[in-house]
Amino acid sequence: MHGLLADGREIVYYDDRPGRDRSARDTRPLTAFAPRGELRHDPLTGDPVLIAAHRQTRTVNSTRAGCPLCPSRPGSPTEIPAADYDVAVFENRFPSLGGQAGGRCEVVCFSGEHDQSVSRLPAARLTTIGRAWADRTAALTRLPGVEQVFVFENRGAEVGATLAHPHGQIYAYPYLTPVQRSVLRSARAHRTEHGSCLLCHTVAREADGPRVVAATAQFVAYVPESARWPFEVHLAPRSCVGDLAALAPAEITELMGLYAEVLRRFEGLFTNPTPYMACWHQAPVRHRADLDHFYGQVFTTRRSADKYKFLASSESAAGAFINDVLPEAAAERLRAVRI
Ligand SMILES: [Zn+2]
Ligand SMILES: [Zn+2]
């Protein structure tokens, strides 16, 4: 169900079962929503950089009291007007995209329960989340000027999550991000040389190798041969599927089950939950003749119980990664986690 928040932002509810009343109104006295992101380009690399100085004042909150993503209670309205919800998606109040920059930023809340995590949600909710991602991908792909729809979750303060409530985000970029531009270039070269899809080739090779972490009939989760991060898993369909919106309902359920298993394996790596970043690299809105195969990426910057990988000069300035963990050993560790 679609609605509008008090400042004009759009909110969409996705429920595990149909028939819920989601008509509650946002009663907060908010001023009209006016995104202020600015897109600049680095003249040396050509890379786009979003300047979003207004985000310095955005909400930082880890406790239930004052959480802007919990359902609204009488006297304490939040971003979600409903008294409870399953999955809620709304435009980010402090976006880096939109306005002059173009594109759009959305927030995806995975549960009305503050202390939940995606890895522990029941199968029905995982499917609802997958359905919400797919539906938003289709909607954002249709927005004028959008070139790439990037779905992601930062989980844990150590990797930049400013709110503890289980939630992710979607960035609809009005350009191809540097990583996607590189993948597109490689996919084009592979197609020219071999006449086939680079991702199909890569997934088939990994599926028979020593770095598989888990798999289903249609999807494979593996540590990539040249993983950049101490623990990193890619999840991909075995054959070409461009984005989450192109999956059939049963395929969404299958993929989300595998995804949650990967998250549980990450969370079980150490004695306390592992902070992680999880994202979906979906095929670009255009150029699908060259690249029409999405993949997920789950990774952590944590390399041992008390050590984190920092992005130092080589990674941050030169873009040249050094991984201290052997990818084959990382796969073995992830497979060994009891879930
Ligand atoms: Zn909350
Ligand atoms: Zn393919």
Side-chain angles (χ1 to χ4, degrees), residues 63-64 67 69-70 114 165:
T63 61
R64 187 186 295 262
C67 173
L69 306 184
C70 276
H114 187 84
H165 194 106

Side-chain angles (χ1 to χ4, degrees), residues 17 104 153 196:
R17 288 177 304 280
R104 173 153 149 160
E153 178 189 7
S196 61

Side-chain angles (χ1 to χ4, degrees), residues 171-190:
Y171 278 16
Y173 294 104
Y175 50 81
L176 294 184
T177 59
V179 165
Q180 180 139 92
R181 229 172 36 206
S182 300
V183 175
L184 181 58
R185 198 182 310 123
S186 303
R188 274 186 181 139
H190 182 92

Side-chain angles (χ1 to χ4, degrees), residues 197 200 240 293:
C197 167
C200 282
C240 287
H293 196 140

Side-chain angles (χ1 to χ4, degrees), residues 21-93:
D21 177 13
R22 302 301 187 202
S23 60
R25 291 183 45 129
D26 182 6
T27 56
R28 297 170 297 171
L30 302 180
T31 51
F33 178 56
R36 284 178 290 160
E38 183 191 343
L39 178 59
R40 298 186 183 179
H41 282 87
D42 179 341
L44 303 184
T45 63
D47 287 344
V49 179
L50 286 164
I51 310 292
H54 59 285
R55 282 166 51 83
Q56 289 282 36
T57 57
R58 71 187 187 274
T59 316
V60 177
N61 187 302
S62 60
T63 61
R64 187 186 295 262
C67 173
L69 306 184
C70 276
S72 287
R73 302 260 178 269
S76 48
T78 69
E79 289 282 77
I80 296 108
D84 71 274
Y85 65 86
D86 294 341
V87 174
V89 181
F90 54 88
E91 290 181 78
N92 194 323
R93 192 174 174 185

Side-chain angles (χ1 to χ4, degrees), residues 307-330:
K307 292 194 183 70
Y308 285 83
K309 174 178 180 59
F310 290 101
L311 296 188
S313 295
S314 183
E315 289 89 356
S316 296
F321 274 74
I322 299 153
N323 186 356
D324 302 321
V325 178
L326 187 69
E328 291 74 25

